[in-house]
Amino acid sequence: METLNLKPHVAILASPGMGHLIPLLELAKRLISLHGFSVLFFVQTTYSSVAQSQLLFSLPDSPGLNIVELPPADVSDIPSHADADTRIGLVMRRSMPALETSLSNYGSAGPVTALIVDMFGTDAFDIALKFGLPKYLFCTSSAAFLAYLLYLPSLHQQTEGEFCDLGGPIMIPGCAPIQIKDLNDAVKDRKSEGYRWFLHHVCRYKEADGILVNTWEELDWKSLRALREEDAFKQIPTPPVYPIGPLIKEVQTSLRGVECLLWLEKQPPESVLFVSFGSGGSLSSAQVKELAWGLEQSQQRFLWVVRRPNDFTPSASFFSSGGNEDEGNLAEYLPVGFLDRTLGVGLVVPCWAPQVEILAHSSTGGFLTHCGWNSTLESLVHCVPMIAWPLYAEQRMNAPMLVDLRVAVRPILGAGDGVVGRKEIERVARLVMEGAEGNEMKAKTRQLRDSAIRTSTVGGSGYNLLCQVASEWKNGT
Ligand code: UDP
């Protein structure tokens, strides 16, 4: 049996996916450095990606951070075409016995004071109950998305048939209406396995003793207010919600020598459009070509994290983030001569790039992003206006929020083929990088960045809320 030091501990369980792992690790670091905790950090080794291994390997030594790799679950019976919600749901369910054993080994030896899970980890609430631990949910997305998730069980009961067949938008009390086309995929087919898993988790959110959410008041005020004040949420009943964000990855100076950062060094200030679709996003073959033409014709400098196209699913790389593709194959899916014609103006990086360091670099002036919540926060904190290009999950709900906040522009899809055409890409690239609108968006990101700093520093509301929860855990209240 392993013994723990006498510091209070929290246990954190991450579900597969870099977008879950990264902010939970940041939470762990904060609990260790600011609140005197040690953290037992449980990660899945099933579907673990190259990006995950590299991230865990590169973590600085911290005596307070104990990474516990759960043994791989048997997933041989899960068909390769199963949707992401089902795969994550099954992996998490099957890892529960190992989590329980591991926690009982640690738990009886030391003062574990709380269990924190992300949005797909609610099965672990049963284990928290067994051990008498307070159970907390960490929402890795916005308060707007959290409000939608908490309200989904009510919508499920009130609605017969598919949500897609409802004529108008989905109305969540006190929140901005959600267009049907922007719903996450699992919810678009109520007969699917993915929907059952999704609903299973969201139905359990009300059991949490508290919900930490990676956002802050100035960014998400409308939904946070709705969560606090609307009767519909009081009746659920909604656990206390703690907006403790933004928790984003810190810039690592050790990465300075990476090729794309050296390239950025040579570019003029705010001249480069960074193009990336998160840890798992892929475009269709037609879209990759059109994007390449649009970037070229815009005559803007660009740094593009390119992935092999996938004509079937936009989340193709979700479970294999950061896998090394053969750079020689780029020519197979980019327009003929593209790399030569854009030499010096653009840089193409296959698969994966140090995103936070790129966004923080003074040469970066815009971000064409899939609107994953971590990418969104990283862009805002580093004052980079966005081109909002959502692909899957809740990204289509994040995009309109960013447009409403006037920090992003959303390209218009071509009629019929669902591809954004090169002229439209050229238009939005110029708008963000050159136009007065781009400057206005930049000014708005600065305001939000300033409010992000205020909330996170001593005395700020996010800082105080995390202090409050941390002291409740320590005092067992
Ligand atoms: N990321 C990165 N390099 C890449 C792609 C992604 O460092 O080439 C990081 C990015 O900075 C962010 C996370 O992976 O912290 C992706 O999370 P997000 O919520 O934006 O999107 P997801 O990948 O979950 O769709």
Side-chain angles (χ1 to χ4, degrees):
M1 185 195 301
E2 298 189 47
T3 50
L4 298 178
N5 59 46
L6 287 175
K7 284 184 174 178
H9 279 63
V10 291
I12 296 182
L13 170 67
S15 64
M18 295 302 285
H20 309 143
L21 182 62
I22 289 172
L24 279 171
L25 273 172
E26 292 309 312
L27 173 65
K29 288 183 199 163
R30 209 162 282 194
L31 290 172
I32 293 165
S33 64
L34 296 180
H35 302 285
F37 281 93
S38 286
V39 174
L40 290 173
F41 196 99
F42 293 95
V43 287
Q44 297 291 348
T45 50
T46 322
Y47 297 138
S48 100
S49 59
V50 173
Q52 171 170 321
S53 311
Q54 284 175 349
L55 175 69
L56 294 176
F57 182 73
S58 69
L59 285 175
D61 270 349
S62 161
L65 182 60
N66 190 350
I67 302 282
V68 185
E69 293 194 317
L70 293 167
D74 180 5
V75 288
S76 54
D77 60 327
I78 305 178
S80 56
H81 61 262
D83 58 78
D85 295 283
T86 303
R87 287 162 90 174
I88 296 175
L90 285 167
V91 167
M92 294 300 277
R93 171 77 49 88
R94 290 174 185 180
S95 68
M96 288 303 126
L99 175 71
E100 184 170 346
T101 308
S102 195
L103 258 183
S104 71
N105 287 345
Y106 286 110
S108 56
V112 176
T113 57
L115 174 70
I116 306 169
V117 302
D118 65 41
M119 291 126 93
F120 297 96
T122 62
D123 285 339
F125 285 176
D126 298 327
I127 296 173
L129 281 171
K130 271 193 196 169
F131 288 102
L133 293 174
K135 45 200 181 317
Y136 281 71
L137 183 76
F138 180 76
C139 175
T140 55
S141 191
S142 67
F145 188 56
L146 174 64
Y148 157 79
L149 297 179
L150 282 160
Y151 197 65
L152 189 62
S154 314
L155 283 173
H156 176 81
Q157 298 221 307
Q158 291 159 15
T159 314
E160 285 191 16
E162 294 293 342
F163 296 115
C164 297
D165 296 333
L166 298 172
I170 301 274
M171 303 305 287
I172 310 290
C175 301
I178 302 171
Q179 300 302 321
I180 300 285
K181 66 178 170 43
D182 291 336
L183 290 174
N184 55 315
D185 298 311
V187 171
K188 283 185 173 162
D189 177 3
R190 289 178 64 173
K191 292 182 285 305
S192 67
E193 184 83 7
Y195 180 71
R196 276 195 289 279
W197 275 109
F198 199 72
L199 192 67
H200 161 71
H201 288 298
V202 301
C203 284
R204 297 201 68 177
Y205 289 0
K206 62 176 185 295
E207 296 172 36
D209 293 295
I211 302 179
L212 311 172
V213 53
N214 199 4
T215 192
W216 70 102
E217 289 290 339
E218 286 77 358
L219 181 67
D220 235 347
W221 61 271
K222 192 172 185 181
S223 306
L224 286 169
R225 192 179 63 188
L227 286 165
R228 279 191 296 262
E229 294 176 9
E230 288 286 334
D231 283 344
F233 288 104
K234 287 184 187 154
Q235 279 158 18
I236 286 175
T238 297
V241 172
Y242 304 94
I244 55 158
L247 295 174
I248 64 161
K249 238 170 127 197
E250 279 166 21
V251 172
Q252 278 180 267
T253 46
S254 59
L255 292 174
R256 253 186 222 139
V258 170
E259 188 198 340
C260 63
L261 297 174
L262 293 174
W263 180 84
L264 274 179
E265 281 296 307
K266 296 185 202 126
Q267 312 308 316
E270 296 180 14
S271 67
V272 176
L273 177 64
F274 176 47
V275 181
S276 177
F277 296 91
S279 62
S282 301
L283 302 178
S284 67
S285 326
Q287 187 64 82
V288 168
K289 287 212 162 64
E290 217 53 27
L291 177 54
W293 280 115
L295 289 173
E296 183 178 343
Q297 290 176 4
S298 75
Q299 299 185 325
Q300 304 301 313
R301 289 168 206 272
F302 64 86
L303 198 173
W304 181 9
V305 183
V306 180
R307 296 224 170 89
R308 181 182 291 283
N310 189 298
D311 290 332
F312 303 102
T313 169
S315 59
S317 312
F318 186 84
F319 293 108
S320 57
S321 314
N324 285 324
E325 286 189 16
D326 179 3
E327 195 166 350
N329 288 337
L330 288 174
E332 275 175 29
Y333 42 85
L334 292 171
V336 177
F338 170 78
L339 292 172
D340 292 335
R341 288 192 304 274
T342 56
L343 197 68
V345 178
L347 183 70
V348 167
V349 180
C351 274
W352 193 262
Q355 177 165 308
V356 174
E357 288 71 19
I358 292 169
L359 289 170
H361 198 285
S362 57
S363 299
T364 303
F367 184 16
L368 192 163
T369 170
H370 74 314
C371 304
W373 191 245
N374 296 289
S375 297
T376 298
L377 297 181
E378 289 159 9
S379 204
L380 292 175
V381 167
H382 294 293
C383 301
V384 182
M386 288 167 266
I387 297 172
W389 189 310
L391 294 177
Y392 59 93
E394 94 290 15
Q395 298 151 16
R396 284 186 299 264
M397 298 187 208
N398 298 339
M401 176 181 177
L402 298 177
V403 173
D404 284 350
L405 284 164
R406 290 179 289 112
V407 292
V409 58
R410 193 166 177 181
I412 299 163
L413 272 180
D417 59 1
V419 167
V420 184
R422 62 191 75 178
K423 279 252 160 268
E424 177 64 0
I425 294 163
E426 178 184 343
R427 180 185 76 83
V428 289
R430 286 184 189 277
L431 184 145
V432 168
M433 301 301 291
E434 294 178 338
E437 269 184 73
N439 286 334
E440 282 165 25
M441 288 194 275
K442 176 103 188 159
K444 184 70 197 183
T445 61
R446 282 202 194 97
Q447 281 175 18
L448 286 170
R449 186 267 323 263
D450 291 347
S451 66
I453 294 173
R454 280 196 302 275
T455 189
S456 312
T457 39
V458 183
S461 66
Y463 181 93
N464 286 345
L465 284 172
L466 191 55
C467 287
Q468 182 190 324
V469 188
S471 82
E472 284 169 12
W473 291 339
K474 283 179 195 164
N475 299 330
T477 52

